[in-house]
Amino acid sequence: MPVILITCSILLLLVLMLFLKFNAFISLTLVSLFLGISFGMPADNLIASIQKGFGDTLGTLTFIVVFGAMLGKIVGESGAALQISNSLNRLFGPKNVVWAVVLTGFIIGIPLFYTAGFVLLIPLVFTIAAVGNFSPVYIGIPMAAALSVTHGFLPPHPGPVALASIFKADLGLTLIYGSIIAVPAIILAGPIYGRFVKDIKSLGGPAKSTVQPLELPSFGTSLFTALFPVLLISIGACLIPFLTKDTIVYKLVNFWGNPFIAMLLAVIVATYNLGISRGQSVKEVMDLYNVAISEVALIILIIGAGGSFKQVLIDSKSADYLAEIFRGSSLSPLVLAWTMAAIIRLALGSATVAALTSAGIILPLIQSTHVSPELTVLSIGAGSLMFSHVNDAGFWIFKEYFNLSIAQTIRSWSVMETIVSITGLVGVLLLNLILAS
């Protein structure tokens, strides 16, 4: 019976989002209520469970997501991202332009949300394609692969941060492991697979950049500011195991390596480097940040609602029942986590909703095993990117900007996402073997 009810709740989520066009926040909240009522939870307990899941999830990540949105906004609007892309393009030269696009997408994809990074880089893609007489799709696929991988695997993006909160994973280790897995995933799905779609003719034209700063910040300043939180978190994660607790050095490293502090410091540095030092007033920078906050409000609500769904699964004891079923499976918990996320992704389209929904279902199983929570985060993140198709907004963004047919978009974009997803799973399993040995 629990399996039937959970299946019905996922089907209800499908109906609400795909057919009735409800937004994900309302849909997840209604599904959480439906699941709790179906399992006979008392009304007071059910409401408390939903509120607890919402609060517990957002309490640890709202600051990170909001500060990440602010950093991404100023990196994009100040021209820092444009400076990084232009400089890397000149550095690599025409012969290695694809690798320049990959590295640009990866660096810019860390602070920027996928859509913002895509829109920002699309003019560069068409310009490079025109100058080098390349197919725009050949140049665009590596860029999209890099942005997609950072979106699905790396903090401070909302999906990985939310999953890390649910599974109590260390964000520093998640960032390090995710970066290791990201490299082969981007190479295979980007430059290598891009060669197989060279023949796809795009009817799109050069897009106009919305970023027109009077003077671009220097390459060094742009790169340092964009990667500042990654440096702090990564250095902290690498040094902590080798430091003695209760020493001043340990406390300092532990402090700046905390993702919340790292993101706050990054915003402060960006405010000066990309705003005040270039003639902007504090009010102008703060107005920019206000826009950034409004852009992530719905994402934060969706993450919170996903936390509510997870908590109802736990408090209703239905997740324990599922865990017992999964324990009898010969599949690795990491493979089960990836499979669950991939199935929901195929059905719903939204990577974030797929990740959060599958996390709530798979959590009890992971808690009863010794599987790395960081690798679990990456496994679900990889599964949530599986075969993007017509029910995913990313599919249509790629299709329309490159002016492709649906068949061409599936052959290019959808297959690229599938390669990223499968490579991510293989990378997770290999890392798990290395860590276990």
Side-chain angles (χ1 to χ4, degrees):
M1 195 62 182
V3 174
I4 295 173
L5 292 177
I6 293 172
T7 302
C8 288
S9 69
I10 294 174
L11 290 175
L12 176 59
L13 193 62
L14 281 170
V15 171
L16 291 173
M17 291 183 63
L18 297 182
F19 298 103
L20 299 182
K21 306 302 180 183
F22 279 47
N23 69 43
F25 170 64
I26 295 176
S27 300
L28 281 166
T29 303
L30 290 174
V31 167
S32 299
L33 286 168
F34 168 81
L35 188 65
I37 293 170
S38 300
F39 275 96
M41 291 180 68
D44 290 347
N45 292 354
L46 174 57
I47 294 172
S49 181
I50 290 174
Q51 291 174 338
K52 175 177 169 49
F54 191 91
D56 287 355
T57 302
L58 292 186
T60 56
L61 62 82
T62 302
F63 287 108
I64 300 171
V65 173
V66 170
F67 287 143
M70 291 178 180
L71 177 63
K73 192 69 173 177
I74 198 168
V75 166
E77 294 295 328
S78 66
L82 191 60
Q83 175 66 277
I84 292 170
S85 64
N86 290 341
S87 299
L88 290 176
N89 185 37
R90 290 192 299 268
L91 180 65
F92 279 78
K95 292 183 179 180
N96 299 306
V97 70
V98 171
W99 296 101
V101 171
V102 165
L103 189 55
T104 300
F106 183 77
I107 293 172
I108 291 175
I110 291 173
L112 264 66
F113 291 127
Y114 176 85
T115 303
F118 185 93
V119 173
L120 189 69
L121 291 179
I122 202 70
L124 176 70
V125 168
F126 281 113
T127 300
I128 291 173
V131 172
N133 197 27
F134 298 116
S135 161
V137 176
Y138 171 62
I139 303 298
I141 280 292
M143 178 269 288
L147 291 174
S148 182
V149 166
T150 55
H151 174 77
F153 292 177
L154 304 182
H157 284 272
V161 171
L163 291 174
S165 172
I166 291 172
F167 290 102
K168 310 300 181 191
D170 181 273
L171 270 181
L173 287 177
T174 302
L175 179 59
I176 292 171
Y177 294 162
S179 299
I180 293 171
I181 295 170
V183 173
I186 293 173
I187 291 173
L188 288 174
I192 293 179
Y193 182 66
R195 298 174 185 172
F196 294 92
V197 293
K198 276 185 175 182
D199 60 310
I200 295 180
K201 303 298 181 184
S202 169
L203 300 177
K208 291 183 179 180
S209 175
T210 58
V211 180
Q212 299 292 341
L214 295 176
E215 183 181 349
L216 296 177
S218 70
F219 175 66
T221 298
S222 301
L223 188 64
F224 173 76
T225 306
L227 296 182
F228 188 73
V230 175
L231 292 173
L232 289 183
I233 295 171
S234 299
I235 292 172
C238 291
L239 291 181
I240 285 293
F242 303 100
L243 297 175
T244 304
K245 286 188 176 182
D246 298 325
T247 62
I248 294 177
V249 175
Y250 177 91
K251 291 177 180 178
L252 283 174
V253 173
N254 192 47
F255 179 76
W256 86 51
N258 182 288
F260 160 57
I261 298 299
M263 293 306 302
L264 174 59
L265 292 175
V267 170
I268 293 172
V269 169
T271 299
Y272 178 78
N273 283 351
L274 304 180
I276 295 171
S277 69
R278 302 180 64 243
Q280 283 189 298
S281 67
V282 173
K283 183 181 184 304
E284 287 175 323
V285 177
M286 293 305 120
D287 287 342
L288 193 65
Y289 290 162
N290 289 339
V291 174
I293 293 171
S294 67
E295 290 174 348
V296 296
L298 183 58
I299 294 175
I300 291 172
L301 291 174
I302 291 171
I303 291 172
S308 296
F309 180 71
K310 176 264 300 183
Q311 195 63 42
V312 171
L313 279 168
I314 293 172
D315 292 344
S316 66
K317 306 300 181 183
S318 56
D320 292 338
Y321 182 86
L322 278 179
E324 287 299 324
I325 295 175
F326 287 141
R327 285 190 192 100
S329 172
S330 58
L331 284 176
S332 160
L334 294 172
V335 175
L336 284 171
W338 179 89
T339 304
M340 185 71 67
I343 291 172
I344 298 175
R345 156 73 158 184
L346 288 169
L348 290 179
S350 170
T352 303
V353 175
L356 293 171
T357 305
S358 56
I361 295 172
I362 209 74
L363 178 61
L365 173 63
I366 299 300
Q367 289 177 330
S368 64
T369 66
H370 298 291
V371 175
S372 162
E374 292 78 24
L375 293 183
T376 304
V377 169
L378 296 172
S379 180
I380 292 178
S384 72
L385 298 177
M386 183 66 177
F387 194 77
S388 163
H389 58 95
V390 295
N391 61 1
D392 177 29
F395 177 93
W396 295 103
I397 290 172
F398 192 90
K399 176 188 180 301
E400 295 305 319
Y401 268 97
F402 287 94
N403 199 7
L404 305 176
S405 68
I406 288 180
Q408 288 174 323
T409 311
I410 290 174
R411 183 185 161 200
S412 54
W413 164 262
S414 301
V415 174
M416 179 275 291
E417 286 280 84
T418 302
I419 294 172
V420 165
S421 179
I422 294 174
T423 305
L425 173 62
V426 172
V428 165
L429 295 177
L430 287 175
L431 265 181
N432 188 49
L433 286 175
I434 294 171
L435 294 173
S437 62

